[in-house]
Amino acid sequence: ADAVRREYCMVTGYDWWDILLHVQPNMVQNLVEKLHEEYMRQSAALQQVLSTRIVAMKASLCKLSSSTIARVCDYHAKLFLIAISCTLKSLLRPHFLNTPDKSPGDRLTEICSKITDIDIDKVMINLKTEEFVLEMTTLQSLQQLIQWVGDFVLYLLASLPNQGSPVRPGHSFLRDGASLGMFRELMVVIRIWGLLKPSCLPVYTATSDTQDSMSLLFRLLTKLWLCCREENHITEPDDTLIDECCLLPSQLLIPNIDWLPINDGIISKLQNKQLVRLQFGKAPGLVGHTLPFFFLSRAPGQPKIDHLRRLHLGAYPTEECKSYAEEVLAETQ
């Protein structure tokens, strides 16, 4: 019956809170595996439709167990990556309105998958750059999303030599050819936009004024992507790539990635089966609740971020409900 309910929620889009309220921590791993099996049994077209929903369901399940809690970070990051990719590609417009066949976003994906060159400029020259022209104000408004892409790529590459354990956030991306390919596409787009408006580029703190940080990261990212772009033929990164990634902390300041406050939502507070009164416009006060997974939760006074727009809200935002809504959204998306 639970399998039928999970599949029903996945296909119809109805929420799965009633399932979460009855899941015990020791059931999570098995439920995630069963959910994945049900997803893989769907047709290819339906899998494409359900691709983000399945990730959201896995994230909400995994946060209920300490053994799977680190995987939630990766699931949320993947959802955010997909959202950024769709948003940025949707801004591209064909130079001629009667252009047939593929959209600029589709051509970007096709060209980046075919051209495996590690030089970002050699990949860029194969694109119709006139399709990437945007208004300057629009480009500048995207800077915080562009910064997240740049920071995440740098974090992943710098952590590659130490990713021996799946409990570290970002671990699953290092063998996810599809996600690495999306990052690679976005870096090419960002490179082109940087020619139009340099201030929209991600900001890196480098030890050398002459270093081209984006070219360096794209080269390492492409090498890692080539290791796992074929799902059935994944190879281990060679020693040269590992050594180059080991040098990154001495070349660039590694960002402190702001992971979502995955254990501050309402579901994790309801596992003790106590009633909670919720009121619109008011953040719920849950006195006496402790956060068992402290290493992935926010410390009091730590700056908070709007996780949809990547805007800083400050350590003590004036709109308490807004900051709390971001935490609940991470749970119910």
Side-chain angles (χ1 to χ4, degrees), residues 23-29 59-72 262-263 268 271 293 295:
V23 170
Q24 298 301 315
N26 60 349
M27 301 165 55
V28 170
Q29 182 66 38
S60 57
L61 282 169
C62 285
K63 72 173 61 178
L64 302 178
S65 171
S66 59
S67 61
T68 56
I69 196 71
R71 290 161 59 182
V72 184
I262 57 177
N263 205 46
S268 60
Q271 282 191 303
F293 312 125
F295 63 99

Side-chain angles (χ1 to χ4, degrees), residues 318-330:
T318 54
E319 299 181 34
E320 183 182 7
C321 293
K322 176 176 174 58
S323 63
Y324 186 81
E326 297 296 336
E327 298 163 2
V328 175
L329 177 66

Side-chain angles (χ1 to χ4, degrees), residues 63-204:
K63 72 173 61 178
L64 302 178
S65 171
S66 59
S67 61
T68 56
I69 196 71
R71 290 161 59 182
V72 184
C73 295
D74 288 10
Y75 288 136
H76 282 302
K78 187 169 184 177
L79 286 172
F80 197 62
L81 169 62
I82 294 172
I84 290 180
S85 178
C86 291
T87 300
L88 299 190
K89 286 183 179 180
S90 70
L91 297 173
L92 307 182
R93 293 291 182 268
H95 188 57
F96 301 103
L97 294 180
N98 60 348
T99 301
D101 57 42
K102 299 174 182 175
S103 68
D106 292 334
R107 283 197 294 274
L108 170 69
T109 300
E110 182 181 26
I111 290 174
C112 287
S113 62
K114 286 183 178 179
I115 301 178
T116 60
D117 202 294
I118 61 175
D119 188 331
I120 190 171
D121 294 323
K122 290 183 179 179
V123 177
M124 184 179 66
I125 60 176
N126 289 276
L127 296 167
K128 298 178 180 179
T129 52
E130 62 270 15
E131 297 179 338
F132 294 77
V133 176
L134 297 179
E135 294 182 2
M136 297 298 103
T137 53
T138 301
L139 281 179
Q140 192 59 47
S141 69
L142 299 172
Q143 201 282 329
Q144 69 271 18
L145 301 181
I146 290 173
Q147 185 69 48
W148 183 87
V149 173
D151 286 347
F152 202 94
V153 169
L154 176 54
Y155 168 83
L156 286 180
L157 293 171
S159 61
L160 177 62
N162 300 318
Q163 286 284 351
S165 171
V167 300
R168 291 176 59 107
H171 174 83
S172 65
F173 280 90
L174 300 177
R175 297 295 182 272
D176 186 349
S179 294
L180 294 177
M182 291 174 67
F183 276 120
R184 191 168 177 267
E185 294 171 17
L186 293 178
M187 290 197 73
V188 174
V189 174
I190 292 169
R191 181 73 161 191
I192 297 174
W193 284 345
L195 298 177
L196 301 174
K197 190 172 184 62
S199 61
C200 79
L201 289 171
V203 178
Y204 297 106

Side-chain angles (χ1 to χ4, degrees), residues 13 29 31 34 36 53 55 86 96 166 168 181 192 210 216 228 236 244 262 265 283 289 297 323 326 328:
Q29 182 66 38
L31 284 175
K34 294 292 184 183
H36 184 73
R53 192 176 303 155
V55 177
C86 291
F96 301 103
R168 291 176 59 107
I192 297 174
T210 59
L216 170 64
C228 56
E236 292 297 320
E244 288 184 289
I262 57 177
H289 175 74
S297 301
S323 63
E326 297 296 336
V328 175

Side-chain angles (χ1 to χ4, degrees), residues 200-215:
C200 79
L201 289 171
V203 178
Y204 297 106
T205 303
T207 55
S208 172
D209 294 335
T210 59
Q211 178 175 277
D212 188 341
S213 300
M214 281 204 69
S215 291

